DNA sequence: ACTCTGTGTCAAGACGAT
DNA sequence: ATAATTGACACAGAGT
DNA sequence: ATCGTCC
């Protein structure tokens, strides 16, 4: 998946394009996320499907706590090349494609519902979500793309964030595409050719060519066509009917859809509580909002009915926060600590 | 000798309490 | 009762 | 820091 060996190559040959940050450094930033990547992460980490939904909930809360504005991008119709790959995967997993699409769509519907209740914008990509994320950051509609998938760089995403999660101590890795191109002395077009040689989702690669040689070859000959003329065709045979040109177009051509208007709204407390605890039977019943002045404490955690929301409606037009009761405690604590520090300084 | 590639295994998320 | 992807790391084998 | 729990 993705450009598998690109991360290693960058770490080895262009470490200068990497900076290490923490989540707090992105306060106030707009960040696009590939929803399918996130959901897959949670689904593989926890056995239960509902728990993965909870993971999305918590992670989004963490973003909002840091005043990060997330934009969730959903996959549209996958391009032909990837469709073939997906079908092959589904078959090898022993799933009929109708079964797969059904479970997938019901799952994404739930995620979509949750995110809409949280008041974060969800946009539908015309094609691959990664490609649209890249376009969003390239056009300046968002400040960065958070993804584990290095495809974003091949699609021209200028700022890529990895390991942007809710861990207590998390080291975020930021990749800068302009710096990367400068260090490697490549144009974007040449970089795309390099990624194709490394191996991508959209076409085959030349067997026997790994990161090191691919980089040297591209730096020397600049295009796949010229590389092909300068390698040993016997030891490194080119795949028959190689679709590298289609892959190249896929990376270089913009999806073409205009960035939609992004709007963050107040979370819908009532429906959120409904959805999470009544429909999903989660214990995160108590959901409350935290304006910047009135911090409410002492929400008794065990109320008999599931209507734990107090009616202290405090409208904060921009940065409303929604927190589970338990989470609120910790945030209140950290806030008090923060304020004490601020007043002591 | 050294470098690179392909193959295998393994662990994974976020929370609160201890 | 439960399922089943993806990257990171260690190793062995082939190429230069 | 490590561990049990989340449904």
């Amino acid at each position: 998946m993705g450009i598998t060996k690109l991360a290693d190559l960058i770490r080895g040959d262009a470490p200068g394009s990497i900076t290490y940050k923490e989540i707090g450094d992105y306060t106030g930033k707009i960040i696009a996320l590939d929803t399918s990547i996130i959901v897959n992460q949670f689904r593989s980490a926890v056995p239960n499907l509902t728990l993965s939904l909870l993971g999305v909930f918590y992670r989004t809360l963490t973003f909002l706590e840091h005043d990060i504005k997330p934009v969730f991008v959903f996959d549209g119709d996958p391009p032909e090349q990837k469709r073939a790959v997906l079908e092959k995967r589904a078959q090898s997993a022993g799933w009929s494609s109708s079964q797969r699409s059904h479970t997938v769509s019901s799952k994404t519907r739930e995620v979509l519902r949750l995110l809409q209740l949280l008041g974060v914008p969800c946009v539908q990509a015309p094609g691959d979500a990664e490609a649209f994320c890249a376009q969003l950051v390239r056009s300046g509609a968002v400040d960065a793309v958070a993804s584990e998938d290095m495809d974003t760089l091949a699609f021209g995403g200028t700022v890529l964030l990895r390991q942007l999660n809710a861990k207590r101590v998390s080291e975020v890795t930021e990749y800068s595409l302009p710096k990367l191109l400068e260090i490697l002395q490549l144009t974007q077009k040449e970089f795309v050719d390099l990624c194709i040689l490394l191996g991508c989702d959209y076409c085959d690669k030349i067997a026997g060519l790994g990161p090191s040689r691919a980089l040297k070859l591209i730096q020397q000959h600049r295009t796949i066509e010229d590389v092909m003329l300068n390698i040993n065709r016997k030891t490194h045979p080119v795949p028959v009917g190689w679709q590298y040109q289609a892959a190249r177009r896929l990376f270089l051509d913009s999806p073409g859809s205009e960035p939609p208007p992004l709007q963050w709204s107040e979370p819908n407390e009532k429906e959120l509580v409904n959805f999470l605890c009544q429909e999903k039977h989660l214990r995160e019943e108590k959901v409350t909002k935290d304006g910047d002045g009135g911090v409410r404490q002492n929400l008794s955690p065990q109320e008999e009915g599931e209507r734990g929301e107090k009616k202290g409606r405090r409208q904060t037009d921009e940065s409303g926060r929604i927190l589970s009761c338990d989470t609120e405690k910790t945030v209140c604590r950290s806030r008090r600590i923060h304020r004490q520090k601020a007043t002591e300084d």
Side-chain angles (χ1 to χ4, degrees):
Chain A
M1 197 74 183
I3 319 283
T4 50
K5 287 165 262 178
L6 183 54
D8 287 332
L9 184 144
I10 294 176
R11 213 174 26 194
D13 292 277
S17 62
I18 304 176
T19 51
Y20 296 98
K21 307 242 181 113
E22 58 187 39
I23 192 167
D25 293 330
Y26 297 99
T27 293
K29 302 287 188 186
I30 302 175
I31 292 180
L33 303 122
D34 182 338
T35 310
S36 61
I37 299 273
I38 308 263
V39 173
N40 278 337
Q41 265 185 350
F42 284 109
R43 192 167 56 85
S44 58
V46 295
N48 192 310
L49 209 65
T50 308
L51 290 179
S52 66
L53 204 62
L54 188 59
V56 175
F57 178 63
Y58 277 133
R59 185 176 287 189
T60 309
L61 284 183
T62 304
F63 292 155
L64 296 178
E65 286 169 22
H66 286 92
D67 284 323
I68 292 171
K69 298 193 172 75
V71 181
F72 284 82
V73 179
F74 286 72
D75 274 311
D77 294 327
E80 275 309 311
Q81 286 79 6
K82 196 163 189 176
R83 182 162 291 185
V85 174
L86 290 179
E87 277 305 317
K88 203 171 64 180
R89 265 190 220 147
Q91 273 193 356
S92 74
W95 274 8
S96 89
S97 71
S98 64
Q99 211 172 10
R100 187 185 67 88
S101 63
H102 182 282
T103 57
V104 162
S105 63
S106 77
K107 206 174 52 194
T108 48
R109 263 204 303 277
E110 289 188 343
V111 174
L112 180 64
R113 175 101 183 280
L114 173 66
L115 294 172
Q116 285 173 340
L117 291 177
L118 279 165
V120 301
C122 299
V123 306
Q124 177 76 234
D128 193 17
E130 287 290 328
F132 196 51
C133 287
Q135 185 189 332
L136 289 179
V137 67
R138 197 152 30 101
S139 70
V142 306
D143 296 303
V145 178
S147 169
E148 298 310 305
D149 204 328
M150 302 300 280
D151 276 355
T152 305
L153 294 175
F155 281 117
T158 46
V159 185
L160 168 63
L161 273 39
R162 298 182 94 196
Q163 299 298 311
L164 186 73
N165 50 34
K167 285 206 168 72
R168 288 165 174 77
V169 287
S170 76
E171 198 175 44
V172 183
T173 312
E174 177 174 319
Y175 295 85
S176 162
L177 179 62
K179 276 190 211 162
L180 177 62
L181 295 179
E182 186 195 336
I183 293 172
L184 296 182
Q185 285 295 296
L186 295 176
T187 66
Q188 176 67 20
K189 191 170 176 301
E190 291 160 356
F191 177 66
V192 166
D193 276 10
L194 171 62
C195 289
I196 292 174
L197 287 180
L198 293 179
C200 67
D201 279 351
Y202 304 110
C203 69
D204 268 330
K205 68 188 290 297
I206 298 178
L209 277 190
S212 255
R213 312 205 175 180
L215 176 60
K216 288 192 187 82
L217 286 167
I218 286 290
Q219 283 177 331
Q220 188 174 355
H221 302 109
R222 318 318 287 185
T223 67
I224 287 181
E225 285 82 358
D226 274 2
V227 167
M228 286 193 290
L229 296 177
N230 288 278
I231 55 175
N232 186 337
R233 298 289 282 262
K234 297 193 170 61
T235 59
H236 301 301
V238 171
V240 288
W242 197 21
Q243 297 292 315
Y244 72 94
Q245 299 176 58
R248 180 193 274 162
R249 268 199 311 276
L250 230 42
F251 282 125
L252 289 173
D253 294 350
S254 289
S257 169
E258 281 301 307
L262 304 175
Q263 194 173 353
W264 290 264
S265 52
E266 288 286 319
N268 186 338
E269 282 184 41
K270 194 157 178 286
E271 288 301 317
L272 198 46
V273 171
N274 224 28
F275 179 60
L276 282 181
C277 65
Q278 183 175 322
E279 204 169 315
K280 293 294 148 194
H281 311 108
L282 287 170
R283 230 189 82 238
E284 299 299 321
E285 305 122 54
K286 316 295 188 270
V287 197
T288 185
K289 210 172 6 179
D290 177 12
D292 71 335
V295 173
R296 290 191 301 284
Q297 286 168 289
N298 312 342
L299 288 184
S300 66
Q302 58 279 11
E303 296 220 9
E304 205 61 29
E306 68 279 351
R307 46 197 67 77
E309 71 271 12
K310 301 276 166 71
K311 273 304 225 180
R313 178 144 305 185
R314 182 171 282 272
Q315 289 284 3
T316 57
D317 45 10
E318 200 216 0
S319 63
R321 297 178 175 183
I322 181 159
L323 306 165
S324 80
C325 181
D326 291 339
T327 310
E328 188 198 19
K329 286 184 200 159
T330 67
V331 169
C332 290
R333 197 173 63 234
S334 72
R335 238 181 211 213
R336 276 200 297 275
I337 292 170
H338 185 66
R339 281 184 183 167
Q340 282 173 8
K341 227 167 56 179
T343 52
E344 280 169 10
D345 282 343

